[in-house]
Amino acid sequence: MTAKAFISGCAGRSLSADEIAFYRDERPWALILFKRNIGTPEEVCDLVATFRDILDDPDRPVLIDQEGGRVQRIAPPHWRNRPAAKFAGDLYADDQAAGRRMAWLHGRLIASDLIDLGITVDCLPVLDVGTPQTHAAIGNRAYAESAEIVSILGRATSEGLAAGGVLPVVKHMPGHGRATVDSHLSLPVVDAPLETLHASDFVPFKALNDLPMAMTAHIVFTAVDRERPATTSPVVVRDIIRGAIGFDGLLMSDDLSMNALGGDFASRADAVLSAGCDMVLHCNGVMDEMRDVARAVPELTGRAAERAAAARAARKPSHPLDREAAEAEYATLAERAGWPPAMA
């Protein structure tokens, strides 16, 4: 199936005539959905099906950020709230088997929610290692301040997603935990020594380097490249992500619309691909920006096309699940973890 090297958003709960023409002409590799795109389950199913019909590709990837906690694109009244990652981390600290089970069920139940809608890729797990200074933009999205615990629970969540027929995307490679500003608003700069990064921040990504897809961090690591954030740094991509971490899956940028990046959208897209990323992610559904990105990106070819094909092939049918029993077990574990927090 032909595709260009970008993932696109859309503006609303159904596709406009302009969006339909744009997708037909520009053929993005995938669609990503946000809260603004979520109506009833039927509306989401129709949106996803329309996108795939336009491209004559019944398996075209459709992505979402469904983490739990603050990052839940599908939510009540049609779907359940789920806790942030840190709750599984807290439970793991008290009972390792229970924490791992909660993380697996978290992924498995989210996958059930998503696959019913036709959504086949979840931008989860977050493998950022927390620190006492971690900005609230990550905050309790991190499982723990231990790289080992993040690795274990990230793996469990990924396996739960995969068991439900949904592909995971690990983020934010090679680590967002030391950022003290919000990369949606400005560019974080991390001055930690390279030895510290290797011993902590990079560890979960190396532990899960076999997974099919990853998303970069819009963060400058001065120990590696003082000038450019990881997303647009050939040095970070080559030496750290592909080299030290050993990730050879499909590498996508974080959202091109975030203020951590500078320049116009065509130059941002070019910088992402020139750095060695395989795929440009543009999320906000603003048509003028989408057109600029699409003009700047090429057809998927070569190694990037091979990685994209391998990622699609990695998704397997979902395993059977007793949904009612799984939800009950998950609720018990979440309660043990302190979720939902007691209201004052």
Side-chain angles (χ1 to χ4, degrees):
M1 300 291 181
T2 61
K4 293 180 77 171
F6 77 111
I7 298 165
S8 185
C10 58
R13 295 182 178 183
S14 61
L15 299 182
S16 68
D18 279 352
E19 287 170 335
I20 290 170
F22 173 81
Y23 298 141
R24 183 176 293 123
D25 293 343
E26 300 295 349
R27 305 190 69 78
W29 185 73
L31 177 70
I32 186 165
L33 301 182
F34 282 78
K35 189 157 287 197
R36 66 178 180 273
N37 308 123
I38 305 302
T40 65
E42 294 76 18
E43 287 174 316
V44 179
C45 288
D46 287 348
L47 191 160
V48 169
T50 301
F51 172 73
R52 290 182 171 136
D53 287 346
I54 292 164
L55 296 172
D56 193 24
D57 183 354
D59 229 11
R60 201 71 157 204
V62 176
L63 291 72
I64 199 166
D65 292 282
Q66 188 68 11
E67 296 178 13
R70 289 176 293 113
V71 181
Q72 301 191 74
R73 313 307 188 197
I74 62 171
H78 300 294
W79 300 274
R80 296 176 189 242
N81 269 325
R82 307 216 182 265
K86 188 176 184 298
F87 287 90
D90 290 346
L91 182 59
Y92 183 90
D94 182 61
D95 181 334
Q96 293 183 3
R100 191 182 294 110
R101 179 64 175 169
M102 180 178 171
W104 187 90
L105 283 167
H106 187 79
R108 183 64 185 86
L109 290 168
I110 285 176
S112 288
D113 291 337
L114 298 182
I115 210 71
D116 287 348
L117 302 171
I119 298 169
T120 51
V121 182
D122 192 10
C123 299
L124 185 71
V126 175
L127 297 186
D128 306 318
V129 180
T131 74
Q133 292 77 40
T134 297
H135 190 274
I138 297 297
N140 66 6
R141 296 167 67 191
Y143 291 103
E145 295 182 7
S146 158
E148 180 184 9
I149 293 174
V150 172
S151 302
I152 290 167
L153 298 183
R155 174 69 70 182
T157 302
S158 298
E159 290 176 348
L161 286 169
V166 171
L167 288 172
V169 179
V170 300
K171 60 188 184 185
H172 306 82
M173 194 175 282
H176 210 297
R178 292 184 192 275
T180 57
V181 298
D182 184 351
S183 57
H184 293 87
L185 305 176
S186 57
L187 178 61
V189 176
V190 171
D191 291 322
L194 191 56
E195 297 78 17
T196 301
L197 298 171
H198 279 294
S200 179
D201 303 55
F202 301 164
V203 168
F205 297 101
K206 188 170 184 177
L208 276 72
N209 66 7
D210 58 310
L211 292 186
M213 288 187 279
M215 180 187 294
T216 61
H218 295 335
I219 296 180
V220 170
F221 295 92
T222 59
V224 185
D225 185 338
R226 302 191 68 88
E227 303 299 324
R228 292 164 293 196
T231 299
T232 59
S233 170
V235 182
V236 173
V237 172
R238 181 189 67 236
D239 294 352
I240 304 301
I241 294 176
R242 300 299 191 193
I245 288 171
F247 178 72
D248 194 36
L250 181 73
L251 185 65
M252 67 183 73
S253 71
D254 204 345
D255 184 12
L256 230 59
S257 302
M258 293 162 65
N259 289 335
L261 301 182
D264 60 44
F265 283 89
S267 64
R268 293 183 191 193
D270 180 69
V272 166
L273 298 176
S274 295
C277 294
D278 301 304
M279 192 77 62
V280 171
L281 176 65
H282 180 267
C283 297
N284 67 13
V286 176
M287 182 56 70
D288 287 346
E289 294 180 14
M290 290 160 60
R291 290 192 175 109
D292 287 344
V293 170
R295 279 193 291 266
V297 300
E299 291 286 318
L300 265 176
T301 58
R303 193 71 189 94
E306 291 171 2
R307 291 181 181 123
R312 288 185 56 158
R315 192 177 76 83
K316 305 303 180 186
S318 61
H319 301 169
L321 179 73
D322 182 333
R323 182 68 178 266
E324 185 176 354
E327 290 283 11
E329 182 186 1
Y330 181 78
T332 298
L333 293 169
E335 185 176 8
R336 283 182 59 190
W339 188 88
M343 301 299 290

